[in-house]
Amino acid sequence: MRRYQEKATIIPKRLETSQSQQPVIITGSDLVGSAYHWNLDYLCAHLGYGLYTVYSSTSGKFKYYDEKKVPNVPSFKPPTSHTDMTFQDFVSILRQKNDSKWIYLQQPLNDTVGPRIEMDFKGFNWDFAYRQMKKNRWGPLTSNLLLVGMEGVITPAHYDEQENLFAQIQGYKRFLLFHPDQFECLYPYPIFHPHDRQSQVDFDEPDLKKFPLFSKLKGYEGIVGPKDVLYIPMYWWHQVESLQGHGETISCTFWFKAAPTEKVVYPLNAGQKVAIMRNIEKMIADTLKDNKNMPHFMKTMVQGSADRPPTALPSFRPPCDWRFFGTISIAAMLWPVAVSEEEFAEVSHGTKLSCFIVLCYEN
Ligand SMILES: O=C(O)CCC(=O)C(=O)O
Ligand SMILES: [Fe+2]
């Protein structure tokens, strides 16, 4: 097991999710009770012959990247590659035990699975899942990702824009979790970068000159094994390692959309502040259309406003008509960036958020 220097508290164990948006490990859960007999042989026999996405890496680390954002950064070199293959082919590569090639299957469960798996899937404790969804006012379930990994594979630190009930079926995974208020210590990539939502810091070799606040990082640690379900609240950072010595890991996620913003309550929480930062960063990136100059632009904007003497404010005249400013819905600013255009229009009541940028920065 890898050792890290972060100061970790143990993730609490409970029977249900907590309403305070805290991660918890639910032990002895029957959420995927009908899948506890899943292992490589059973899945080989019953998953069918559909194609599954298998990632490979020479380092054992599987840092996610968004293919759609690759053209934004011409110098970007993908750290992993992926191929679609049958589950049976995946298992035969996995059993070759090639020390320099790590593979990790990650694929949403779909309707190509055979009838036995379909029955197991239908037997999940959907009542429990939907009760958590209702209780926490999450949006609808979006997908169940099946994860089958070799011992030792690592998903580096990142956050997701969805709520997650993470069910462990086989093997053990060690989670490091960090509250959204640790944002500054984790140095995420810019939003237009393919590694958006991922930390730039390599936990095994942190460059403290470049990322000095990483030394202040504080987090939670927990190991999940069969019958454990970990609730990962939206915007919580997590790094996941499949532990050595316990066989392959099999897990299944239950991802839910964010709770809609019914009423904005101040002070805003750290997750809502991350949402605002992402929305503003996205608006700037979309408007500026010049990713190379984004860091300089952002720095100038922040330093400019931090250094501006307060006496300058009374003489400040808006450069153009600011009335539009008031029409931008706060709810839209708090909404995760990764939503479809239609939902975006719904939460923002049709207001084009990009007006904000045009009005503020074009003059
Ligand atoms: O289990 C893993 O390797 C990654 C899981 C993860 O990041 C997630 O479920 O959000
Ligand atoms: Fe994740």
Side-chain angles (χ1 to χ4, degrees):
M1 190 156 92
R2 297 183 192 226
R3 301 262 153 230
Y4 300 105
Q5 287 176 324
E6 86 290 336
K7 301 116 203 144
T9 311
I10 304 298
I11 302 168
K13 298 195 171 177
R14 292 214 182 86
L15 290 176
E16 299 237 341
T17 55
S18 68
Q19 269 162 319
S20 54
Q21 285 249 311
Q22 288 287 316
V24 288
I25 295 175
I26 301 162
T27 52
S29 168
D30 65 351
L31 174 60
V32 293
S34 53
Y36 288 140
H37 58 284
W38 287 7
N39 57 32
L40 295 186
D41 288 333
Y42 181 87
L43 293 178
C44 263
H46 300 291
L47 258 184
Y49 295 94
L51 295 182
Y52 288 80
T53 306
V54 174
Y55 292 85
S56 55
S57 146
T58 50
S59 67
K61 292 189 178 167
F62 293 77
K63 192 194 272 189
Y64 172 80
Y65 66 95
D66 181 345
E67 308 232 353
K68 291 192 289 303
K69 295 186 180 179
V70 169
N72 293 345
V73 180
S75 58
F76 180 75
K77 292 209 175 37
T80 58
S81 58
H82 60 88
T83 329
D84 289 339
M85 59 178 86
T86 61
F87 196 84
Q88 296 76 7
D89 284 346
F90 163 70
V91 171
S92 70
I93 299 175
L94 198 133
R95 288 190 167 143
Q96 284 163 14
K97 297 240 180 284
N98 180 341
D99 283 349
S100 58
K101 186 176 168 188
W102 305 73
I103 53 172
Y104 202 169
L105 181 144
Q106 304 189 0
Q107 162 91 34
L109 282 170
N110 59 29
D111 50 16
T112 67
V113 299
R116 293 276 288 269
I117 303 284
E118 193 183 334
M119 217 167 68
D120 297 338
F121 181 78
K122 284 187 177 148
F124 286 178
N125 188 346
W126 296 104
D127 282 351
F128 175 85
Y130 288 119
R131 192 165 71 239
Q132 305 311 305
M133 179 182 117
K134 261 208 180 129
K135 188 173 92 174
N136 298 297
R137 298 195 173 77
W138 298 335
L141 179 83
T142 59
S143 61
N144 295 102
L145 187 74
L146 173 69
L147 295 139
V148 184
M150 289 169 101
E151 297 182 17
V153 294
I154 289 187
T155 299
H158 67 282
Y159 62 88
D160 298 304
E161 293 187 281
Q162 297 203 55
E163 307 285 353
N164 187 356
L165 290 176
F166 182 96
Q168 189 61 9
I169 297 170
Q170 294 295 344
Y172 288 81
K173 279 183 168 171
R174 176 198 189 200
F175 277 81
L176 301 175
L177 279 129
F178 307 96
H179 189 279
D181 68 8
Q182 299 293 294
F183 193 87
E184 280 172 294
C185 304
L186 284 158
Y187 300 89
Y189 286 85
I191 196 165
F192 62 79
H193 194 282
H195 283 318
D196 175 29
R197 299 185 291 99
Q198 320 292 307
S199 171
Q200 296 181 73
V201 186
D202 178 346
F203 281 29
D204 292 320
E205 263 178 287
D207 180 344
L208 293 178
K209 276 214 180 76
K210 221 166 147 189
F211 309 117
L213 292 177
F214 183 73
S215 60
K216 302 246 180 307
L217 181 66
K218 284 201 181 79
Y220 291 74
E221 177 174 20
I223 292 177
V224 295
K227 302 193 180 157
D228 288 337
V229 170
L230 169 67
Y231 165 47
I232 312 172
M234 185 166 75
Y235 297 126
W236 273 70
W237 293 82
H238 44 288
Q239 162 144 319
V240 193
E241 175 187 354
S242 288
L243 294 189
Q244 305 268 9
H246 301 274
E248 302 79 21
T249 54
I250 305 182
S251 332
C252 179
T253 69
F254 290 68
W255 268 312
F256 296 86
K257 288 203 174 166
T261 315
E262 282 156 6
K263 188 170 178 284
V264 181
V265 180
Y266 290 94
L268 297 180
N269 65 37
Q272 289 171 314
K273 288 178 189 164
V274 172
I276 296 175
M277 287 191 277
R278 290 184 60 78
N279 277 305
I280 293 179
E281 200 182 329
K282 181 169 188 306
M283 287 186 279
I284 296 176
D286 288 351
T287 311
L288 202 62
K289 297 207 190 307
D290 179 2
N291 295 329
K292 243 178 51 220
N293 269 317
M294 249 318 259
H296 178 252
F297 185 91
M298 302 273 284
K299 236 181 243 155
T300 311
M301 182 179 91
V302 173
Q303 282 168 353
S305 51
D307 299 345
R308 195 178 293 140
T311 48
L313 281 175
S315 61
F316 174 73
R317 290 280 173 276
C320 55
D321 189 346
W322 283 69
R323 272 174 308 165
F324 284 110
F325 192 93
T327 67
I328 292 154
S329 115
I330 294 170
M333 289 295 274
L334 301 181
W335 196 247
V337 167
V339 293
S340 68
E341 285 292 319
E342 300 84 66
E343 281 167 308
F344 181 75
E346 215 173 274
V347 289
S348 63
H349 309 295
T351 313
K352 272 254 178 283
L353 278 175
S354 51
C355 310
F356 175 73
I357 292 308
V358 175
L359 290 178
C360 295
Y361 302 107
E362 231 182 25
N363 287 271

